[in-house]
Amino acid sequence: MRFPEQIAVDAIRCAAVSAAAFAIGWPLGGGKRTPLRWLCLLAPLLMPSLLISYAAAPLALSLSGAALVAFYSVLLALKLAPLATLAHDFFPPLLSPEAAHCARLLPGRSAADRVWFAVRGAGPAPWVTLGILFLLTFADFELASLLAVKTWAVMLFDAHAGGLAIAESLRRAAWPTAIELAVLLALLWWNARSERVSHTCRRSRDDSSLTPGQRRERAQSARSTIVLGVLIAGLPLARIAWLAAPGFSSLRMQEIFAADLLVSLGFATGASLGAWLLVRRLPAWCALPGLLGALVLALLILVTIQLPPLRWLRDTPIPLLAVETLLLAPIALLIRTLLTAHAPRESLHLARMAGSRRLIWDLALQPRAGALALLFTLAYFELTAASILAPIGLTPVFARLHNLAHYGQTAVLSAMLLAAVAAPAALLALTLCTARLYARRDVR
């Protein structure tokens, strides 16, 4: 299939995949916020695509053609579905349940009027969520690459890695970029014409105030969330752990692997701090380029550093750090908006007056530490930009593991994958524990 035709096919397929992810995830919103539910929602989103594709590779190899594309699409929809659930949790519809009930009682309304009223009452949240799901699906490279699914991103990356001139690579990326920009402009237009955007977090009602039907609905939502987390995160981890058992003893001899881990941790630290500072110091529109996807952004940066005044940047970490920072900026902006909207200002003021480190940590510092930890994890697992822009001698660990994974599954490679996934978790746990110990030393 020619490249322009592949773009059109991918756009249609990604629209269907994003709609499926929305249909799966949106109805699961509004459940009780328990630690288990948070874990099952965040695990699929944070699970590296490389780990999922590596675990699913044997099954994918037995498929071909439409069956392989369908398998890949199902994996992608299940991985992104929790994003719709979280959007439903944090951005409730503009129309209250009572107003919706009153609208249903009005006589003489046509079907078109009812549909349009429901669309306007839902507000921008569902449409923005659908648009973001489409952008994430359309720009996916990591999951498709190891599963050998020919998408426009895989075709463009392979051509570029095979020696295609950067000008030609950028020309081929023009149409996908135009599609992504069109979606972004549509989202901005819809959001601007909406009556208001609610930044109020939907609070879970007390179980005692729920009807029996609502309790059953919440229990079904909890079970579905657990199933989703097990399918996308639990099963791949279990399979790779089984494959890796004989290979852990060889990890201590992998000196290059240890160096790559440190490189990834360094890039993740710089990108997460950079994204947080970016959304604090600059206007919100500066975060929009991050929604174009890693491949497009990396190619744009690659062209930029070919200019004579900027050629000295080519062999430095700055281009990769810039792309990862831009990719994290939309997420950092969303998290910061939520934290600002729900900051306990009165309680925090009293805690500062009392000089209580523990209360200041619980009310102000811990949420921000959690936000930075999330950004750090996403930057650490980034693969596409790292494969294009990593300077010589500073290869992030997932870029190297991705290349090795194309040669098949081995015990040592599986052990390295698990160790690479566990490294940021161990580092973040140690950092948070140290911060908690500091917070417990109350100055009063």
Side-chain angles (χ1 to χ4, degrees), residues 52-94:
I52 297 174
S53 58
Y54 181 82
L59 180 56
L61 288 174
S62 65
L63 303 173
S64 62
L68 178 59
V69 175
F71 176 67
Y72 159 70
S73 300
V74 168
L75 284 180
L76 195 56
L78 292 176
K79 177 175 170 54
L80 295 177
L83 182 63
T85 306
L86 292 172
H88 194 188
D89 279 352
F90 284 106
F91 298 100
L94 302 179

Side-chain angles (χ1 to χ4, degrees), residues 89-387:
D89 279 352
F90 284 106
F91 298 100
L94 302 179
L95 195 66
S96 67
E98 293 79 8
H101 177 70
C102 292
R104 286 193 293 269
L105 296 178
L106 291 175
R109 299 175 66 209
S110 65
D113 286 340
R114 292 178 182 273
V115 170
W116 181 238
F117 183 80
V119 169
R120 290 176 61 85
W127 307 105
V128 171
T129 303
L130 269 170
I132 292 175
L133 286 171
F134 175 84
L135 291 173
L136 293 174
T137 305
F138 189 65
D140 176 70
F141 161 77
E142 302 173 13
L143 192 58
S145 176
L146 201 61
L147 295 179
V149 178
K150 290 297 181 183
T151 65
W152 73 266
V154 173
M155 292 174 67
L156 180 57
F157 181 90
D158 290 346
H160 178 76
L164 189 68
I166 182 61
E168 178 63 19
S169 296
L170 201 61
R171 189 189 67 80
R172 293 189 183 187
W175 276 111
T177 304
I179 292 174
E180 292 173 336
L181 288 174
V183 173
L184 280 175
L185 291 174
L187 294 180
L188 291 173
W189 173 81
W190 179 261
N191 188 63
R193 73 184 299 273
S194 299
E195 289 80 6
R196 66 181 178 88
V197 179
S198 175
H199 293 295
T200 303
C201 183
R202 175 181 292 172
R203 300 182 182 275
S204 299
R205 293 189 294 179
D206 186 73
D207 285 344
S208 60
S209 67
L210 298 178
T211 65
Q214 289 171 327
R215 287 198 185 95
R216 287 193 298 271
E217 195 174 305
R218 177 172 285 187
Q220 179 61 38
S221 173
R223 287 192 293 269
S224 301
T225 303
I226 293 173
V227 170
L228 198 60
V230 170
L231 283 175
I232 298 300
L235 289 181
L237 280 174
R239 171 169 172 75
I240 294 176
W242 179 75
L243 292 172
F248 283 114
S249 59
S250 302
L251 281 180
R252 63 179 181 272
M253 296 181 289
Q254 305 296 325
E255 296 180 1
I256 296 179
F257 172 71
D260 292 344
L261 272 180
L262 293 177
V263 170
S264 290
L265 294 174
F267 274 116
T269 302
S272 56
L273 292 175
W276 192 255
L277 292 175
L278 178 68
V279 299
R280 288 191 62 182
R281 302 295 183 186
L282 297 178
W285 59 264
C286 294
L288 292 179
L291 294 175
L292 295 177
L295 183 58
V296 171
L297 271 180
L299 290 176
L300 289 173
I301 292 292
L302 197 59
V303 169
T304 303
I305 60 177
Q306 303 300 320
L307 300 175
L310 300 176
R311 285 180 183 170
W312 64 273
L313 293 172
R314 287 186 296 185
D315 296 324
T316 70
I318 295 176
L320 177 55
L321 199 59
V323 171
E324 291 187 347
T325 299
L326 290 174
L327 287 174
L328 293 177
I331 303 170
L333 178 63
L334 176 61
I335 295 174
R336 189 169 180 274
T337 301
L338 291 172
L339 290 178
T340 302
H342 306 295
R345 294 178 179 83
E346 296 82 2
S347 301
L348 182 57
H349 178 68
L350 293 175
R352 285 171 175 160
M353 290 180 63
S356 172
R357 288 180 180 175
R358 179 62 183 273
L359 286 176
I360 293 173
W361 166 258
D362 289 341
L363 295 173
L365 299 181
Q366 183 172 308
R368 285 168 173 75
L372 284 172
L374 177 61
L375 296 175
F376 174 88
T377 304
L378 293 172
Y380 176 83
F381 290 145
E382 202 285 322
L383 168 63
T384 307
S387 300

